[in-house]
Amino acid sequence: MSTLEIKGLVASVAGKQILNGIDLVVRSGEVHAIMGPNGAGKSTLSAVIMGKPGYVVHAGQVLLDGVDLLGLPAWQRAQAGMHLVMQYPSEVPGVGITDMLHEAFSARGRDTHGLAAAVAAEADRIHFPPALLDRSLNVDLSGGEKKRNETLQLALLQPKFAILDELDSGLDIDALRDCARRVEDATNEAGALGVLAITHYNRLLEELHPDRVHILVKGRIVESGGPELADRLEIEGYDKYLKAVRL
């Protein structure tokens, strides 16, 4: 059992403070959804947790099994068990997905025997066309194909915790179902993936069933609840929270 604990996190980017004290605990096998209006700090939260350059942390901790990640470079956070599924996956010309995964496995001290077969099996599971496995990473792929590719990587790397930064962005119904269900399955498999899912829409949560839903407004979590909270947001929106929060 692993635990990701965010304590009093305050952070800024480009001289503007975005996060104003985030407290959150996610455990193995749990799915926590982060929802909020544009500019609330959702993507900033993912960037700070993963160590994206340009963000300044003023206070707080991000603890993975008691170890503060904030003092580690991004690659060490990944090796410790963190993983980010990006909203806009990067294209890497000249590097194939199996080659990339081979290096990632080697860096983690994992056996690469049978990796190509494992990649093929995961691709089939999420309906990622086998022909695309021979292309450079994400190059000339559609938005849905890129997200399937990201999901495939997540499934094979088997991190302790995954941050999904708008996994549902740009996906059609079939791609959304395939990707969300694969992540959901990973929360119930050996290792019990913990998930922090950033999303604007309830449609992702119809497939990736959250244990908790958190509303982020102006860099603060202003309300937390069960899945019914996301249903309520679909009807009410964020207006009452925006009016209530003062910095």
Side-chain angles (χ1 to χ4, degrees):
M1 174 72 72
S2 289
T3 301
L4 176 66
E5 185 175 8
I6 303 167
K7 301 172 67 175
L9 189 61
V10 178
S12 64
V13 61
K16 182 179 180 180
Q17 188 165 306
I18 304 297
L19 303 181
N20 297 297
I22 302 293
D23 295 290
L24 187 64
V25 178
V26 184
R27 296 180 176 84
S28 296
E30 294 180 347
V31 176
H32 288 239
I34 301 288
M35 306 184 76
N38 290 327
K42 300 184 298 298
S43 290
T44 296
L45 177 60
S46 71
V48 171
I49 293 172
M50 294 305 302
K52 184 176 180 179
Y55 292 81
V56 178
V57 177
H58 302 284
Q61 296 176 298
V62 178
L63 304 171
L64 175 57
D65 294 333
V67 176
D68 195 348
L69 298 178
L70 296 179
L72 303 177
W75 67 270
Q76 288 186 350
R77 300 183 197 198
Q79 286 197 348
M82 298 300 304
H83 186 90
L84 173 65
V85 173
M86 295 180 284
Q87 182 179 1
Y88 304 108
S90 300
E91 297 183 2
V92 188
V95 178
I97 183 171
T98 302
D99 293 331
M100 183 277 292
L101 287 169
H102 188 281
E103 292 302 314
F105 271 47
S106 297
R108 290 164 169 78
R110 291 176 55 184
D111 185 8
T112 59
H113 179 73
L115 178 57
V119 170
E122 280 293 344
D124 181 67
R125 183 170 178 174
I126 60 172
H127 305 111
F128 185 70
L132 300 183
L133 295 174
D134 296 326
R135 291 193 186 178
S136 294
L137 190 63
N138 289 325
V139 173
D140 295 328
L141 300 188
S142 69
E145 289 166 346
K146 287 180 179 179
K147 293 298 178 72
R148 290 181 196 266
N149 199 357
E150 291 279 297
T151 303
L152 185 154
Q153 296 167 44
L154 168 62
L156 287 164
L157 288 171
Q158 299 176 333
K160 295 178 180 178
F161 293 94
I163 302 172
L164 312 181
D165 190 0
E166 297 192 32
L167 174 67
D168 49 335
S169 176
L171 295 187
D172 61 26
I173 294 171
D174 292 330
L176 173 63
R177 183 180 297 115
D178 287 339
C179 292
R181 287 182 177 178
R182 183 63 189 94
V183 176
E184 174 83 11
D185 287 346
T187 67
N188 295 305
E189 294 172 351
L193 175 71
V195 176
L196 194 60
I198 296 168
T199 183
H200 280 292
Y201 304 109
N202 199 23
R203 65 175 192 155
L204 173 66
L205 307 182
E206 291 173 357
E207 301 292 345
L208 179 61
H209 306 115
D211 297 281
R212 299 286 288 170
V213 175
H214 309 279
I215 301 175
L216 185 66
V217 175
K218 297 180 182 179
R220 294 175 177 168
I221 293 176
V222 297
E223 187 171 353
S224 298
E228 70 282 353
L229 182 53
D231 296 330
R232 200 177 81 208
L233 283 174
E234 287 283 312
I235 300 171
E236 299 178 356
Y238 298 108
D239 188 59
K240 74 173 184 179
Y241 298 107
L242 290 167
K243 290 178 179 177
V245 175
R246 298 287 185 268
L247 296 181

Coordinates of all heavy atoms in Angstrom, one line a residue, residues 179-227:
C179 N -9.5 3.8 -22.9 CA -8.5 4.4 -22.1 C -8.9 4.4 -20.6 O -8.2 4.0 -19.7 CB -8.1 5.8 -22.5 SG -7.3 5.8 -24.1
A180 N -10.1 4.9 -20.4 CA -10.6 5.0 -19.0 C -10.7 3.6 -18.3 O -10.4 3.4 -17.2 CB -11.9 5.8 -18.9
R181 N -11.2 2.7 -19.1 CA -11.4 1.3 -18.5 C -10.1 0.7 -18.2 O -9.9 -0.1 -17.3 CB -12.3 0.5 -19.5 CG -13.7 0.9 -19.4 CD -14.6 0.0 -20.3 NE -16.0 0.4 -20.3 CZ -17.0 -0.2 -21.0 NH1 -16.7 -1.2 -21.8 NH2 -18.2 0.2 -20.8
R182 N -9.1 1.0 -19.1 CA -7.8 0.4 -18.8 C -7.1 0.9 -17.5 O -6.5 0.2 -16.7 CB -6.8 0.6 -20.0 CG -5.4 -0.1 -19.8 CD -5.6 -1.6 -19.8 NE -4.4 -2.3 -19.4 CZ -4.1 -2.6 -18.1 NH1 -4.9 -2.3 -17.1 NH2 -2.9 -3.3 -17.9
V183 N -7.3 2.2 -17.3 CA -6.8 2.8 -16.1 C -7.6 2.3 -14.9 O -7.0 1.9 -13.9 CB -7.0 4.4 -16.2 CG1 -6.5 5.0 -14.8 CG2 -6.1 4.9 -17.3
E184 N -8.9 2.2 -15.0 CA -9.8 1.6 -14.0 C -9.3 0.2 -13.6 O -9.2 -0.2 -12.4 CB -11.2 1.6 -14.4 CG -12.2 0.9 -13.5 CD -12.6 1.7 -12.3 OE1 -12.4 3.0 -12.4 OE2 -13.2 1.2 -11.4
D185 N -9.0 -0.6 -14.6 CA -8.5 -2.0 -14.4 C -7.2 -2.0 -13.6 O -7.0 -2.8 -12.7 CB -8.3 -2.7 -15.7 CG -9.6 -3.1 -16.4 OD1 -10.7 -3.1 -15.7 OD2 -9.6 -3.5 -17.6
A186 N -6.3 -1.0 -13.9 CA -5.0 -0.9 -13.2 C -5.2 -0.6 -11.8 O -4.3 -1.0 -11.0 CB -4.1 0.1 -13.9
T187 N -6.3 0.0 -11.4 CA -6.5 0.3 -9.9 C -6.8 -1.0 -9.2 O -6.7 -1.0 -7.9 CB -7.6 1.3 -9.7 OG1 -8.8 0.8 -10.1 CG2 -7.3 2.6 -10.5
N188 N -7.2 -2.0 -9.9 CA -7.7 -3.3 -9.3 C -6.7 -4.4 -9.5 O -6.9 -5.5 -9.0 CB -9.0 -3.7 -9.8 CG -10.1 -2.7 -9.4 OD1 -10.3 -2.4 -8.3 ND2 -10.8 -2.2 -10.4
E189 N -5.6 -4.1 -10.2 CA -4.6 -5.2 -10.5 C -3.5 -5.2 -9.4 O -3.5 -4.3 -8.5 CB -4.0 -4.9 -11.9 CG -5.0 -5.2 -13.0 CD -4.5 -4.8 -14.4 OE1 -3.4 -4.1 -14.4 OE2 -5.1 -5.0 -15.4
A190 N -2.6 -6.1 -9.5 CA -1.5 -6.1 -8.6 C -0.7 -4.8 -8.7 O -0.5 -4.2 -9.7 CB -0.5 -7.2 -9.0
G191 N -0.5 -4.2 -7.5 CA 0.2 -2.9 -7.4 C -0.9 -1.8 -7.2 O -0.5 -0.7 -6.6
A192 N -2.1 -2.0 -7.5 CA -3.2 -1.1 -7.2 C -2.9 0.3 -7.5 O -2.6 1.1 -6.6 CB -3.7 -1.3 -5.8
L193 N -2.9 0.7 -8.7 CA -2.6 2.1 -9.2 C -3.5 3.1 -8.4 O -4.7 2.9 -8.4 CB -2.8 2.2 -10.7 CG -2.6 3.6 -11.3 CD1 -1.1 4.0 -11.3 CD2 -3.1 3.6 -12.7
G194 N -2.9 4.1 -7.9 CA -3.6 5.3 -7.4 C -3.7 6.3 -8.5 O -2.7 6.5 -9.3
V195 N -4.8 7.0 -8.6 CA -5.1 7.9 -9.7 C -5.5 9.3 -9.2 O -6.4 9.4 -8.4 CB -6.1 7.3 -10.7 CG1 -6.4 8.3 -11.8 CG2 -5.6 6.0 -11.3
L196 N -4.9 10.3 -9.8 CA -5.4 11.7 -9.6 C -5.8 12.1 -11.0 O -5.0 12.4 -11.9 CB -4.3 12.6 -9.1 CG -4.7 14.0 -8.6 CD1 -5.6 13.9 -7.4 CD2 -3.4 14.7 -8.1
A197 N -7.1 12.2 -11.3 CA -7.7 12.5 -12.6 C -8.2 13.9 -12.7 O -9.2 14.3 -12.0 CB -8.8 11.5 -12.9
I198 N -7.5 14.7 -13.5 CA -8.0 16.1 -13.7 C -8.9 16.1 -14.9 O -8.5 15.6 -16.0 CB -6.7 17.0 -14.0 CG1 -5.8 17.0 -12.7 CG2 -7.1 18.4 -14.4 CD1 -4.5 17.6 -13.0
T199 N -10.1 16.6 -14.7 CA -11.0 16.6 -15.8 C -12.0 17.8 -15.7 O -12.3 18.3 -14.6 CB -11.8 15.3 -15.9 OG1 -12.7 15.3 -17.0 CG2 -12.6 15.0 -14.6
H200 N -12.6 18.2 -16.8 CA -13.7 19.1 -16.8 C -15.1 18.5 -16.9 O -16.1 19.1 -16.6 CB -13.6 20.0 -18.1 CG -12.6 21.1 -17.9 ND1 -12.7 22.2 -17.1 CD2 -11.4 21.3 -18.6 CE1 -11.7 23.0 -17.2 NE2 -10.8 22.5 -18.1
Y201 N -15.1 17.2 -17.3 CA -16.4 16.6 -17.7 C -16.7 15.3 -16.9 O -15.8 14.5 -16.7 CB -16.4 16.4 -19.2 CG -16.2 17.6 -20.0 CD1 -15.0 17.8 -20.7 CD2 -17.1 18.7 -20.0 CE1 -14.7 18.9 -21.4 CE2 -16.8 19.8 -20.7 CZ -15.7 20.0 -21.4 OH -15.4 21.1 -22.1
N202 N -17.9 15.1 -16.7 CA -18.4 13.9 -15.9 C -18.3 12.7 -16.8 O -18.3 11.6 -16.3 CB -19.8 14.1 -15.5 CG -20.2 13.2 -14.4 OD1 -19.4 12.7 -13.7 ND2 -21.5 13.0 -14.3
R203 N -18.2 12.8 -18.1 CA -18.2 11.7 -19.0 C -17.0 10.7 -18.7 O -17.1 9.5 -18.8 CB -18.2 12.1 -20.5 CG -16.9 12.8 -20.9 CD -16.9 13.1 -22.4 NE -15.6 13.5 -22.9 CZ -15.2 13.4 -24.1 NH1 -16.0 12.8 -25.0 NH2 -14.0 13.8 -24.5
L204 N -15.8 11.3 -18.3 CA -14.7 10.5 -18.0 C -15.0 9.6 -16.7 O -14.7 8.5 -16.6 CB -13.4 11.3 -17.7 CG -12.2 10.6 -17.2 CD1 -11.7 9.6 -18.2 CD2 -11.1 11.5 -16.7
L205 N -15.7 10.3 -15.8 CA -16.0 9.6 -14.5 C -17.1 8.6 -14.6 O -17.3 7.8 -13.7 CB -16.3 10.7 -13.5 CG -15.3 11.8 -13.3 CD1 -15.7 12.8 -12.2 CD2 -13.9 11.2 -13.1
E206 N -17.8 8.5 -15.7 CA -18.8 7.5 -16.0 C -18.0 6.1 -16.3 O -18.6 5.1 -16.1 CB -19.7 7.8 -17.1 CG -20.6 9.0 -16.8 CD -21.4 9.5 -18.0 OE1 -21.2 8.9 -19.1 OE2 -22.2 10.4 -17.8
E207 N -16.8 6.2 -16.7 CA -16.0 5.0 -17.0 C -14.9 4.8 -16.0 O -14.6 3.7 -15.6 CB -15.3 5.2 -18.4 CG -16.3 5.4 -19.5 CD -17.2 4.1 -19.8 OE1 -16.8 3.0 -19.3 OE2 -18.2 4.2 -20.5
L208 N -14.3 5.9 -15.5 CA -13.3 5.8 -14.5 C -13.9 6.2 -13.2 O -14.0 7.4 -12.9 CB -12.1 6.7 -14.9 CG -10.9 6.8 -13.9 CD1 -10.3 5.4 -13.7 CD2 -9.9 7.8 -14.3
H209 N -14.3 5.3 -12.4 CA -15.2 5.6 -11.2 C -14.4 6.2 -10.1 O -13.6 5.4 -9.5 CB -16.0 4.3 -10.8 CG -16.7 3.7 -12.0 ND1 -16.4 2.5 -12.5 CD2 -17.7 4.2 -12.8 CE1 -17.2 2.2 -13.5 NE2 -18.0 3.2 -13.7
P210 N -14.7 7.4 -9.7 CA -13.9 8.0 -8.6 C -14.4 7.6 -7.2 O -15.6 7.4 -7.0 CB -14.1 9.5 -8.9 CG -15.5 9.6 -9.5 CD -15.6 8.3 -10.3
D211 N -13.4 7.5 -6.3 CA -13.7 7.3 -4.9 C -14.1 8.7 -4.3 O -14.9 8.8 -3.4 CB -12.6 6.7 -4.2 CG -12.3 5.3 -4.7 OD1 -13.0 4.4 -4.3 OD2 -11.3 5.2 -5.5
R212 N -13.4 9.7 -4.7 CA -13.6 11.1 -4.2 C -13.5 12.1 -5.4 O -12.7 11.9 -6.3 CB -12.5 11.4 -3.2 CG -12.5 10.6 -2.0 CD -13.7 10.8 -1.0 NE -13.6 12.1 -0.3 CZ -14.5 12.7 0.3 NH1 -15.7 12.1 0.5 NH2 -14.3 13.9 1.0
V213 N -14.3 13.1 -5.2 CA -14.2 14.2 -6.2 C -13.9 15.5 -5.4 O -14.5 15.8 -4.4 CB -15.6 14.4 -6.9 CG1 -15.6 15.6 -7.8 CG2 -15.9 13.1 -7.8
H214 N -13.0 16.3 -5.9 CA -12.5 17.5 -5.3 C -12.7 18.7 -6.3 O -12.4 18.6 -7.4 CB -11.1 17.4 -4.9 CG -10.7 16.2 -4.1 ND1 -10.9 16.1 -2.8 CD2 -10.2 15.0 -4.5 CE1 -10.5 14.9 -2.4 NE2 -10.0 14.2 -3.4
I215 N -13.3 19.8 -5.7 CA -13.5 21.0 -6.6 C -12.4 22.0 -6.2 O -12.2 22.4 -5.1 CB -14.9 21.6 -6.3 CG1 -16.0 20.6 -6.6 CG2 -15.0 22.9 -7.1 CD1 -17.4 21.1 -6.3
L216 N -11.6 22.3 -7.3 CA -10.5 23.3 -7.1 C -10.9 24.6 -7.7 O -11.3 24.7 -8.9 CB -9.3 22.7 -7.8 CG -8.0 23.5 -7.7 CD1 -7.5 23.5 -6.3 CD2 -6.9 22.9 -8.6
V217 N -10.8 25.7 -6.9 CA -11.2 27.0 -7.3 C -10.1 28.0 -6.8 O -9.9 28.0 -5.6 CB -12.6 27.4 -6.8 CG1 -12.9 28.9 -7.2 CG2 -13.7 26.5 -7.4
K218 N -9.6 28.8 -7.7 CA -8.6 29.8 -7.3 C -7.5 29.2 -6.4 O -7.0 29.8 -5.4 CB -9.3 30.9 -6.6 CG -10.2 31.7 -7.5 CD -10.9 32.8 -6.8 CE -11.9 33.5 -7.7 NZ -12.6 34.7 -7.0
G219 N -7.0 28.0 -6.8 CA -5.9 27.4 -6.2 C -6.1 26.7 -4.9 O -5.2 26.4 -4.1
R220 N -7.4 26.5 -4.5 CA -7.8 25.9 -3.3 C -8.8 24.8 -3.5 O -9.7 25.0 -4.4 CB -8.4 26.9 -2.3 CG -7.4 27.9 -1.8 CD -8.1 28.9 -0.9 NE -7.1 29.9 -0.4 CZ -7.5 31.0 0.2 NH1 -8.7 31.3 0.4 NH2 -6.5 31.9 0.7
I221 N -8.8 23.7 -2.8 CA -9.9 22.7 -2.8 C -11.0 23.3 -1.9 O -10.8 23.4 -0.7 CB -9.4 21.3 -2.3 CG1 -8.4 20.8 -3.4 CG2 -10.6 20.4 -2.2 CD1 -7.8 19.5 -3.0
V222 N -12.1 23.6 -2.5 CA -13.2 24.2 -1.8 C -14.3 23.3 -1.3 O -15.1 23.6 -0.5 CB -13.8 25.4 -2.6 CG1 -12.7 26.5 -2.8 CG2 -14.3 24.9 -3.9
E223 N -14.3 22.1 -1.9 CA -15.3 21.1 -1.5 C -14.8 19.7 -2.0 O -14.2 19.6 -3.1 CB -16.7 21.4 -2.1 CG -17.7 20.4 -1.5 CD -19.2 20.8 -1.8 OE1 -19.4 21.9 -2.4 OE2 -20.1 20.0 -1.5
S224 N -15.1 18.7 -1.2 CA -14.8 17.3 -1.6 C -16.0 16.5 -1.3 O -16.8 16.8 -0.3 CB -13.6 16.8 -0.8 OG -12.4 17.5 -1.1
G225 N -16.2 15.4 -2.0 CA -17.3 14.5 -1.8 C -17.2 13.3 -2.6 O -16.1 13.0 -3.2
G226 N -18.3 12.5 -2.7 CA -18.3 11.3 -3.5 C -18.6 11.6 -5.0 O -18.7 12.8 -5.4
P227 N -18.8 10.6 -5.8 CA -19.1 10.7 -7.2 C -20.3 11.6 -7.5 O -20.4 12.3 -8.5 CB -19.4 9.3 -7.7 CG -18.7 8.4 -6.7 CD -18.8 9.1 -5.4

